[in-house]
């Protein structure tokens, strides 16, 4: 069922009917839906759970693993349609506004007084609907990272690649040493993550025209054909066991030295930290070749749903939103998660070299116009368009389709609404 058709089902469930707000006890129960289930992610969300428990609230965890949130979104729709909407749910990008359009979210303006001046403008606007804050952001993930096992890099006698020719040279050296050059999972969102990395390597303007504006001329250009050609060449460095592999298992291959490199957002750093690995000593974090001055951002947020039909946020929901944006929580959450605080001005003193580089690169990208939303992680387009493009990329990466026909399919997919 397409998202926009949910309106009828929501009405049938009684969620769009105004009813008098029920009295909420201080020790209210907070049902929280999210997809943070890997080691580093679970530790990060545990910080929030502990903070809310200390404030006297009961945390009911509803974690749904898989598909970069796809399974969680299916579960959320089921809950809302059945009239059992969670107190809060992890949602991001255009989906925030789409849920707000259904009239089932509550505003949290009363605790968002200083948010506008403490958030990057590109992110602040995502959190609004009809002039009200309806979502609280956790952190900023940079998607365009390349993770490299330091021992594998040294064994191959290579250097950190900054261009695609350098990358392929290093991959060949790793392969010669019996190391899987590139660890990858066989899930659609992982395919799209790699593809958008290569799109970004063509420059921020090219990325914006292709991914944000869906410009047909850019999507059908020879340059886009080259993007698919590069992706095809990268695929030759995967191992044969990637089908269905979760991203954190691919990260584990890099951690234990079975594989040399991985294209993945900086949530991967949480896995390295969980394995007691140190940036610069055990592994290297580097921008994807050709993307040093660009930054694809992925921002996780919680939206807050009407409870028992009330159009006002409960004390627990407001406390949850306020805690999420507090400097202390922003710092600790990101230290575990591998991200950087979304709130500006939070000290980076406790962060490792990768975190500090991410923050510095973020500020550079914002000023240079290279701060762009990730398509693969729900920030650039709605579900229908993103899904259609994902299908094109996944089909290409799991077949012998040629790049020119893939580009034609891409242009057609971009018209999906």
């Amino acid at each position: 069922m397409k998202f926009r058709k949910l309106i009828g089902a929501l009405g049938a469930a009684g969620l769009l009917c105004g009813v008098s707000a029920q009295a909420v006890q201080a020790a209210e129960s907070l049902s929280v839906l999210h997809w943070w289930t890997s080691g580093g992610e679970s530790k990060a969300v545990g910080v929030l759970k502990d903070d809310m428990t200390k404030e006297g609230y009961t945390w009911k965890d509803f974690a749904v693993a898989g598909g970069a949130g796809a399974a969680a979104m299916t579960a959320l729709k089921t809950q809302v349609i059945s009239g059992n909407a969670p107190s809060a749910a992890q949602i991001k990008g255009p989906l925030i506004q789409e849920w707000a359009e259904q009239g089932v979210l509550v505003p949290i303006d009363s605790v968002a007084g200083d948010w506008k001046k403490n958030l990057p403008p590109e992110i602040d606007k995502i959190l609004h609907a009809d002039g009200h804050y309806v979502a609280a952001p956790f952190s900023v993930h940079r998607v365009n990272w390349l993770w490299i096992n330091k021992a594998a890099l040294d064994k191959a006698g290579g250097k950190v690649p900054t261009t695609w020719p350098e990358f392929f040279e290093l991959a060949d050296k790793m392969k010669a040493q019996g190391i899987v050059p590139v660890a990858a999972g066989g899930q659609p969102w992982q395919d799209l993550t790699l593809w958008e990395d290569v799109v970004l390597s063509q420059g921020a303007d090219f990325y914006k025209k292709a991914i944000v504006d869906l410009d047909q001329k850019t999507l059908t250009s020879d340059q886009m054909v080259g993007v698919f050609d590069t992706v095809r060449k990268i695929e030759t460095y995967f191992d044969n066991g990637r089908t269905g592999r979760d991203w954190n298992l691919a990260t584990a291959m890099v951690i234990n030295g079975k594989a040399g490199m991985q294209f993945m957002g900086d949530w991967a750093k949480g896995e390295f930290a969980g394995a007691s690995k140190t940036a610069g000593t055990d592994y290297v974090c580097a921008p994807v070749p050709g993307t040093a001055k660009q930054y694809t951002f992925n921002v996780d947020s919680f939206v807050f749903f009407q409870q028992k039909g009330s159009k006002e946020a409960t004390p627990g929901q407001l406390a949850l939103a306020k805690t999420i944006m507090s400097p202390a929580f922003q710092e600790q959450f990101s230290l575990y998660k591998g991200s950087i605080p979304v709130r500006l001005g939070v000290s980076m003193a406790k962060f490792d070299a990768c975190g500090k580089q991410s923050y510095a690169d973020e500020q550079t990208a914002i000023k240079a116009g290279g701060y762009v939303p990730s398509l693969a992680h729900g920030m650039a387009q709605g579900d229908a368009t993103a899904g259609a493009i994902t299908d094109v990329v996944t089909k290409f990466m799991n077949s012998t389709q040629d790049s020119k026909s893939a580009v034609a399919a891409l242009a057609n997919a971009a018209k999906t609404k």
Side-chain angles (χ1 to χ4, degrees):
M1 179 170 56
K2 291 186 177 180
F3 186 90
R4 289 178 177 82
K5 292 183 179 179
L6 277 172
I7 188 76
L10 293 171
L15 284 170
L16 300 181
C17 301
V19 298
S20 59
Q22 302 295 315
V24 181
Q25 301 299 317
E28 73 178 83
S29 207
L30 294 171
S31 174
V32 182
L33 186 148
H34 62 89
W35 60 85
W36 290 318
T37 57
S38 75
E41 293 173 328
S42 295
K43 194 172 184 179
V45 78
V47 175
L48 184 59
K49 177 181 178 180
D50 290 344
D51 284 350
M52 297 312 298
T53 300
K54 290 175 183 176
E55 291 188 41
Y57 297 97
T58 300
W59 179 283
K60 289 187 176 181
D61 198 72
F62 189 3
V64 182
M73 290 302 93
T74 299
L76 176 61
K77 290 175 184 177
T78 299
Q79 282 193 299
V80 174
I81 290 171
S82 67
N84 188 34
S87 306
Q90 182 183 357
I91 296 178
K92 47 189 182 175
L95 272 181
I96 293 175
Q97 282 71 42
E98 289 192 16
W99 275 108
E101 288 173 2
Q102 311 310 314
V104 294
L105 302 184
V106 292
I108 52 173
D109 300 315
S110 62
V111 296
D114 67 345
W115 290 13
K116 188 174 184 63
K117 68 179 182 180
N118 286 309
L119 289 169
E122 293 88 346
I123 293 173
D124 183 73
K125 64 183 180 182
I126 296 171
L127 311 172
H128 288 84
D130 295 326
H132 297 284
Y133 280 100
V134 293
F138 280 81
S139 58
V140 177
H141 280 295
R142 185 186 197 178
V143 178
N144 58 306
W145 279 117
L146 177 67
W147 304 91
I148 309 173
N149 180 288
K150 184 65 164 55
L153 178 66
D154 293 341
K155 186 177 181 180
K159 64 177 184 178
V160 176
T162 59
T163 66
W164 288 118
E166 290 177 355
F167 171 83
F168 292 124
E169 181 181 354
L170 176 59
D172 284 334
K173 289 179 178 178
M174 288 182 172
K175 191 172 185 178
Q177 292 291 332
I179 301 167
V180 175
V182 181
Q187 297 166 326
W189 71 268
Q190 295 189 62
D191 294 340
L192 194 63
T193 295
L194 171 59
W195 178 81
E196 79 170 19
D197 281 342
V198 181
V199 174
L200 186 66
S201 73
Q202 306 304 301
D205 288 343
F206 182 84
Y207 182 95
K208 290 176 185 176
K209 289 178 182 178
I211 302 299
V212 179
D213 300 336
L214 302 177
D215 176 66
Q216 285 289 309
K217 184 177 180 180
T218 303
L219 292 171
T220 57
S221 66
D222 289 341
Q223 196 169 0
M224 186 60 77
V225 173
V227 166
F228 280 93
D229 286 343
T230 299
V231 170
R232 179 67 83 213
K233 188 171 182 179
I234 294 171
E235 278 192 284
T236 65
Y237 295 97
F238 295 166
D239 69 313
N240 293 326
R242 79 180 188 98
T243 303
R245 180 186 289 148
D246 286 332
W247 70 268
N248 54 312
L249 298 181
T251 304
M253 292 173 64
V254 179
I255 291 173
N256 63 32
K258 181 178 180 181
M261 298 178 281
Q262 181 190 20
F263 294 92
M264 190 52 58
D266 55 15
W267 48 91
K269 188 166 65 119
E271 301 302 300
F272 283 97
S276 300
K277 302 299 181 180
T278 303
T281 301
D282 302 306
Y283 66 96
V284 176
C285 54
V288 168
T291 72
K293 295 183 179 180
Q294 285 85 46
Y295 196 111
T296 33
F297 64 82
N298 172 22
V299 179
D300 286 307
S301 301
F302 270 1
V303 298
F304 304 88
F305 284 88
Q306 293 178 10
Q307 300 295 292
K308 298 181 180 179
S310 173
K311 295 186 178 181
E312 301 295 326
T314 68
Q317 288 174 320
L318 293 174
L320 185 59
K322 184 176 181 180
T323 297
I324 289 170
M325 268 294 283
S326 67
F329 173 78
Q330 288 270 317
E331 177 189 63
Q332 191 58 63
F333 180 85
S334 283
L335 284 170
Y336 284 147
K337 188 72 161 55
S339 53
I340 62 172
V342 66
R343 187 184 179 103
L344 300 174
V346 175
S347 173
M348 296 298 293
K350 294 181 181 179
F351 287 78
D352 63 13
C354 295
K356 290 174 180 175
Q357 181 182 347
S358 182
Y359 179 77
D361 288 352
E362 178 194 39
Q363 302 312 302
T364 297
I366 289 173
K367 293 175 183 177
Y371 198 58
V372 294
S374 168
L375 174 67
H377 299 277
M379 303 302 300
Q381 297 292 340
D383 272 0
T385 303
I389 294 175
T390 300
D391 289 345
V392 170
V393 173
T394 296
K395 178 183 177 181
F396 174 79
M397 292 184 66
N398 292 277
S399 70
T400 58
Q401 183 182 24
D402 66 275
S403 296
K404 288 186 178 180
S405 63
V407 162
L410 174 68
N412 188 55
K415 300 175 183 178
T416 305
K417 298 295 182 184

